[in-house]
Amino acid sequence: QKEVEQNSGPLSVPEGAIASLNCTYSDRGSQSFFWYRQYSGKSPELIMSIYSNGDKEDGRFTAQLNKASQYVSLLIRDSQPSDSATYLCAVNKDYGQNFVFGPGTRLSVLP
Amino acid sequence: DAGITQSPRYKITETGRQVTLMCHQTWSHSYMFWYRQDLGHGLRLIYYSAAADITDKGEVPDGYVVSRSKTENFPLTLESATRSQTSVYFCASTSGGTPYNEQFFGPGTRLTVL
C-alpha cells in the first residue's frame, strides 16, 4: 500500500460544477495535510493546508479532514477552466519536515 | 529577487557526465529539499537538509550527491549521469520548527540525459 493515494484521474467536470478530489494516507501519526496545485510545466503551489478534523474553507476551496478514516479531500466550487491542473495531496508524517506526496489527480474543467 | 530559484532551468547532458543543479533561497529557511518528478511516480524525495552541513537521504538518493555549506544554497550533483536520471528536478524549502509549515517550490530544472 502506498503511503499517500489519490484518484488517478483524469477527472473532468463542467464549468461551474463542484470538483471533488480525494486522498487517503496510511500513517495514522500524520500531523498535517496539504493540497498543492500544479499547472503543466510549472512547479507545485500551495492551495490549502489542514491540520484538524473537519472542514476548512478558503474562497472556492474547501479542505476536509477525517483522521479516523485517514482521508482528506479538496472540494472546488464553481469550477473554472483555470482550475484545470494536477492536484497533489501531501502529508507531513512527523516533525521532520518530510512530506510524502501522492501521485496527483489531473482535473480538467470543461467550458 | 526574493524566493527560491533554480539553475539551469533546462539541461541536456550525456551519459557519464557530471552535472550540478543549483538551488538558492532568500528566506533563510532551515530546511531544503530535492525532489524528482516523473510520470507515474509523482514527486519523490532525493535528499533533504535540516540546516547547513546537515543532510540526509530521501527515497531515491542513489547516484546523487548534495552539500550545504551555506543556508541559502543546496546544490544537487549527479556524479555520473544515467538515462534513468532524465527527469524534472524541484528544489523546495520550508522554515521548519513545526509540522505545519508548507514547502515552497522552485521553478524546476528539466534534465535530459542522452
Side-chain angles (χ1 to χ4, degrees):
Chain A
Q1 180 189 11
K2 293 184 179 179
E3 292 189 74
V4 179
E5 301 198 55
Q6 297 182 243
N7 304 38
S8 58
L11 174 66
S12 294
V13 300
E15 184 174 355
I18 296 175
S20 177
L21 304 165
N22 304 316
C23 174
T24 58
Y25 59 95
S26 60
D27 190 335
R28 285 193 173 275
S30 299
Q31 300 279 337
S32 50
F33 309 86
F34 303 82
W35 283 100
Y36 284 81
R37 178 177 62 200
Q38 186 176 23
Y39 291 115
S40 181
K42 302 295 185 181
S43 58
E45 57 177 337
L46 184 74
I47 300 176
M48 295 280 290
S49 58
I50 187 166
Y51 317 125
S52 304
N53 282 328
D55 295 359
K56 179 181 178 182
E57 188 174 317
D58 184 1
R60 296 186 296 111
F61 299 95
T62 299
Q64 300 174 318
L65 175 61
N66 184 327
K67 289 186 177 180
S69 299
Q70 296 174 245
Y71 175 91
V72 58
S73 66
L74 179 70
L75 300 177
I76 306 175
R77 291 182 301 280
D78 188 23
S79 295
Q80 302 296 309
S82 58
D83 295 325
S84 298
T86 296
Y87 290 80
L88 303 172
C89 173
V91 175
N92 194 0
K93 297 197 300 180
D94 51 38
Y95 283 79
Q97 310 301 323
N98 288 334
F99 285 16
V100 178
F101 285 85
T105 298
R106 187 156 57 90
L107 172 66
S108 179
V109 180
L110 307 174
Chain B
D1 290 341
I4 182 166
T5 57
Q6 294 183 234
S7 62
R9 295 292 313 280
Y10 302 91
K11 177 73 177 179
I12 299 174
T13 190
E14 294 178 338
T15 301
R17 291 191 180 269
Q18 183 179 83
V19 177
T20 296
L21 309 183
M22 303 301 294
C23 179
H24 175 79
Q25 53 101 359
T26 60
W27 293 307
S28 299
H29 282 169
S30 297
Y31 287 81
M32 297 186 73
F33 308 82
W34 274 108
Y35 295 92
R36 60 178 291 174
Q37 188 174 41
D38 307 285
L39 281 174
H41 290 281
L43 281 165
R44 293 184 290 176
L45 182 66
I46 304 171
Y47 269 96
Y48 70 99
S49 169
D53 297 322
I54 301 175
T55 62
D56 207 348
K57 297 177 181 179
E59 180 186 356
V60 289
D62 293 343
Y64 302 95
V65 174
V66 294
S67 61
R68 194 171 176 204
S69 57
K70 293 183 177 181
T71 299
E72 61 267 29
N73 296 325
F74 191 37
L76 176 74
T77 297
L78 288 67
E79 293 188 298
S80 179
T82 65
R83 289 193 181 88
S84 64
Q85 292 177 310
T86 292
S87 187
V88 179
Y89 291 85
F90 288 105
C91 179
S93 72
T94 186
S95 55
T98 81
Y100 309 114
N101 298 116
E102 68 175 284
Q103 290 189 9
F104 296 87
F105 284 81
T109 294
R110 184 174 295 273
L111 176 67
T112 301
V113 182
L114 301 177

